[in-house]
Amino acid sequence: MSIGSNLERVLKSGAFAVTSECGPPRGADPEVIRKKGAYLKGHVDAVNVTDNQTSVVRMSSFSSSLILKEMGFDPVMQMVCRDRNRIAIQSDILGAAALGIKNILCLSGDHQTFGDHPTAKNVFDIDSMQLIQCVRQMTEEGKFLSGEEIEGRPDLFVGCAENPFADPFEIRAMRLAKKVKAGAQFVQTQSVFHIEKFEKWMEMVRDLGVHEKVYILAGITPMKSIGMARYMKNSVPGMDVPDELIERMKETPKEKQAEEGIKICVETIERVRKMKGVAGVHIMAIEWESKVPEIVEAAGLYPRP
Amino acid sequence: MIVANRKPFEEIIEMLKPYTRILLLGCNECVTVCATGGTKEVAVLASEIRLFRQKEGRPVEIKEFTLERNCDPEYVDALKPFINDYDVVMSMACGCGIQFVGEHYRNKIVLPAVNTTFDGVTEKHGVWTERCQGCGDCVLDKTLGVCPVTRCAKSIFNGPCGGSRDGKCEIDKETPCAWQLIVDRYKEMDMLYKYLEIQPVKDWSTSRDGGPRKRMREDLTI
Ligand code: SF4
Ligand code: SF4
């Protein structure tokens, strides 16, 4: 009998879940993953592995997930629709499940114009909503998208992402409802900086009763410096960093900014934790994985169940 | 209409390097409407080429000619009396016209003077934008007249993605987000409930992915 998803176990137990993220390297050195993983050890319930994030070529999510799995982590393999058609998608799902990956996160993927190969052709054969449906059809019904039977059904805990801060705001809760209808079992949100807006979104989510059907993990990103805060506000698609936070970082002396960034992040965790329907946090410490244990401990979320 | 853009002059001149007698073709249809390859644009390009080659000391002889349509055999036949007087044909018609003329005069090379870009509309004077990719299975009924295949940078059927901001697409601040437009339409028509319908995986076999497409009407074939 194989062991199921640890993330699913924690969420089902009712404990407040903590997940983090590991961006694969731009090369073939597995040590980079192992080093990042070592920081997170014991402090998180699962680790997301990004899939050529911002359309920059990196080691595949699949193989990086395996390296983390060998280290004893419960990886969440991210999969984007930008680079694979339905044939490659289903094939990778079978392969991942065969090698013991237990979680998948279904994403559309950033457009390739953001990345290092802007002249590439994109795929987008199916979208993230349809990818959720596809994985659930494979795991629940044991059928391919074509309707044909799968011999040896994959077993995966299926997640999605949602951005409460993107436009049009009024449909963002409905969009999550749609993803849940498609079969999403957990959702990780875009990084929460604008807490009031997130609260408003959660209210809309609760009005639709969606929080009772899906585990919601609020995205959390610590800011290293005022530079990073400004960059996220202005240059990252779908990020909403309010001016007060920018001001707060700006007023902090340079050498204290990282500390302040961590403080803001811990405060955010404490606030979202109080919101009804938030089942955990997903900490995205971009190239700052070493700080995750400190954040988890400061937020009173250590030890992990 | 089919929208095209003239190629950079350097590229055109490079292609014409080996030739001195050139038939420069235009088309009276789409490329005239989008001000790329009609009689006027043919005349402008012809004089640019003449001037350049004159300066180079390798003058050319150019015949300017605009066909009614380049994609219809009965019009393409009009070239027969004089096409063989020229070394090469350069065409300002769309990609369809360029190929079709070449198919009819196999002893001639037909060079493209334009980059054929998209099927679109004249949004306002001097501005053309894309509307349809000919996917072969139209869903405009479901999206109330906004094409997700063409106007969403990711051809998403259940949008908008997380990059939609202030009505614009994540790829740039000028491009409208198709899914914002679709949601706006749902609201205008009091049909926001339609948003909750999940659009199923698309059958792309009717699109380019299924191979070159053909339409035949038995009753019209001779
Ligand atoms: S759905 Fe297909 S046929 Fe209809 S407008 Fe879009 S690309 Fe054209
Ligand atoms: S921002 Fe809108 S148009 Fe652009 S890719 Fe996303 S959904 Fe499509």
Side-chain angles (χ1 to χ4, degrees):
Chain A
M1 175 80 194
S2 72
I3 307 157
S5 153
N6 183 55
L7 177 59
E8 186 176 15
R9 176 189 68 79
V10 171
L11 287 167
K12 282 198 169 148
S13 77
F16 194 76
V18 179
T19 57
S20 188
E21 199 154 289
C22 188
R26 304 206 63 207
D29 183 3
E31 284 312 315
V32 182
I33 296 276
R34 293 196 186 111
K35 205 171 139 201
K36 284 186 178 181
Y39 292 128
L40 305 173
K41 196 84 216 206
H43 284 81
V44 295
D45 306 318
V47 184
N48 277 37
V49 185
T50 52
D51 181 6
N52 297 298
Q53 201 173 12
T54 60
S55 312
V56 171
V57 177
R58 292 171 184 278
M59 187 190 289
S60 73
S61 171
F62 185 0
S63 37
S64 309
S65 292
L66 274 184
I67 296 169
L68 288 166
K69 193 184 140 37
E70 280 167 8
M71 291 177 75
F73 284 104
D74 182 28
V76 178
M77 181 175 83
Q78 295 195 353
M79 188 180 273
V80 301
C81 300
R82 177 191 60 231
D83 311 319
R84 305 170 180 81
N85 68 7
R86 63 190 77 177
I87 301 172
I89 283 175
Q90 294 178 96
S91 156
D92 281 353
I93 288 170
L94 294 180
L99 292 172
I101 289 167
K102 297 289 175 191
N103 313 285
I104 183 169
L105 195 84
C106 306
L107 304 165
S108 301
D110 296 316
H111 195 268
Q112 75 275 8
T113 45
F114 293 103
D116 61 343
H117 290 73
T119 56
K121 184 165 164 50
N122 58 37
V123 182
F124 297 116
D125 174 14
I126 64 176
D127 64 25
S128 60
M129 193 78 63
Q130 296 160 345
L131 176 56
I132 297 167
Q133 279 183 320
C134 168
V135 190
R136 287 297 296 235
Q137 183 176 323
M138 292 174 80
T139 56
E140 297 309 294
E141 295 167 39
K143 286 196 173 119
F144 289 114
L145 272 181
S146 63
E148 274 166 72
E149 292 290 326
I150 298 174
E151 290 166 34
R153 185 187 293 206
D155 175 21
L156 289 159
F157 188 44
V158 184
C160 67
E162 188 46 51
N163 185 355
F165 311 102
D167 290 319
F169 181 65
E170 69 230 82
I171 56 97
R172 285 290 156 184
M174 277 166 90
R175 185 160 154 82
L176 178 61
K178 231 172 135 168
K179 285 185 172 173
V180 172
K181 198 161 112 187
Q185 295 165 291
F186 69 98
V187 55
Q188 293 169 331
T189 75
Q190 175 65 281
S191 306
V192 179
F193 294 109
H194 197 320
I195 298 188
E196 291 72 30
K197 197 162 180 185
F198 182 72
E199 174 80 85
K200 182 91 230 306
W201 178 75
M202 277 304 299
E203 218 177 286
M204 291 158 82
V205 166
R206 285 191 299 263
D207 286 346
L208 294 171
V210 173
H211 65 302
E212 283 163 358
K213 298 181 194 142
V214 69
Y215 297 107
I216 300 170
L217 279 69
I220 305 286
T221 295
M223 293 184 285
K224 266 188 198 174
S225 62
I226 175 72
M228 177 177 173
R230 284 206 184 104
Y231 174 76
M232 286 198 294
K233 184 181 175 72
N234 303 322
S235 308
V236 181
M239 283 263 188
D240 189 345
V241 186
D243 291 332
E244 303 105 74
L245 278 191
I246 302 275
E247 276 305 307
R248 188 168 156 189
M249 287 298 276
K250 210 169 83 190
E251 280 161 15
T252 309
K254 210 170 176 327
E255 64 288 355
K256 288 259 162 78
Q257 282 178 0
E259 205 179 298
E260 192 67 16
I262 301 280
K263 227 167 108 191
I264 293 172
C265 156
V266 173
E267 288 168 20
T268 311
I269 296 178
E270 281 161 359
R271 288 190 61 184
V272 298
R273 200 177 169 184
K274 293 200 187 95
M275 294 179 196
K276 191 174 166 217
V278 176
V281 283
H282 175 56
I283 306 170
M284 292 167 275
I286 305 147
E287 295 305 321
W288 214 20
E289 290 83 356
S290 58
K291 286 287 170 192
V292 172
E294 186 184 324
I295 295 167
V296 175
E297 285 170 27
L301 294 167
Y302 187 77
R304 299 306 312 146
Chain B
M1 95 189 93
I2 297 178
V3 178
N5 272 324
R6 202 180 96 176
K7 280 182 176 285
F9 186 65
E10 306 73 60
E11 195 183 336
I12 291 174
I13 273 299
E14 185 60 31
M15 281 189 267
L16 292 175
K17 222 174 200 167
Y19 310 107
T20 45
R21 294 172 61 80
I22 301 158
L23 172 57
L24 190 59
L25 269 191
C27 184
N28 240 339
E29 297 282 351
C30 310
V31 287
T32 295
V33 183
C34 71
T36 302
T39 308
K40 221 160 76 193
E41 292 77 25
V42 167
V44 172
L45 179 59
S47 43
E48 280 179 66
I49 299 168
R50 282 189 199 106
L51 205 70
F52 185 93
R53 290 282 291 262
Q54 188 77 43
K55 274 195 199 150
E56 251 194 0
R58 296 177 57 236
V60 283
E61 187 197 324
I62 300 180
K63 180 178 173 70
E64 301 168 26
F65 197 81
T66 303
L67 283 173
E68 210 35 54
R69 277 211 279 280
N70 282 248
C71 52
D72 226 328
E74 67 182 278
Y75 296 108
V76 169
D77 280 351
L79 300 175
K80 220 175 239 164
F82 54 86
I83 190 166
N84 282 324
D85 300 341
Y86 297 90
D87 308 336
V88 77
V89 182
M90 175 165 265
S91 171
M92 302 192 84
C94 72
C96 310
I98 298 169
Q99 293 181 56
F100 207 54
V101 169
E103 287 166 34
H104 278 79
Y105 301 99
R106 299 195 63 90
N107 62 333
K108 288 284 166 255
I109 288 175
V110 185
L111 303 169
V114 305
N115 293 318
T116 301
T117 318
F118 54 80
D119 286 359
V121 297
T122 311
E123 211 168 87
K124 55 184 184 201
H125 205 72
V127 180
W128 295 272
T129 51
E130 189 173 13
R131 287 293 184 277
C132 174
Q133 293 193 353
C135 76
D137 184 13
C138 197
V139 298
L140 289 176
D141 55 322
K142 300 199 174 75
T143 52
L144 303 192
V146 181
C147 173
V149 179
T150 310
R151 303 189 70 189
C152 167
K154 301 177 189 168
S155 295
I156 282 177
F157 272 71
N158 297 280
C161 75
S164 179
R165 195 63 180 267
D166 301 325
K168 303 295 183 221
C169 172
E170 68 175 30
I171 59 160
D172 71 71
K173 292 193 167 73
E174 300 298 313
T175 308
C177 165
W179 275 94
Q180 173 77 56
L181 299 176
I182 294 168
V183 169
D184 289 348
R185 285 295 291 145
Y186 287 152
K187 284 199 293 187
E188 271 166 15
M189 303 312 286
D190 220 359
M191 288 167 83
L192 199 55
Y193 62 89
K194 267 190 100 72
Y195 179 74
L196 278 170
E197 288 169 16
I198 298 177
Q199 295 307 321
V201 165
K202 186 170 171 67
D203 173 357
W204 292 106
S205 68
T206 56
S207 189
R208 186 212 57 83
D209 308 87
R213 290 162 281 176
K214 181 177 180 172
R215 175 174 181 254
M216 207 159 110
R217 282 250 327 246
E218 297 285 354
D219 55 329
L220 292 178
T221 56
I222 336 165

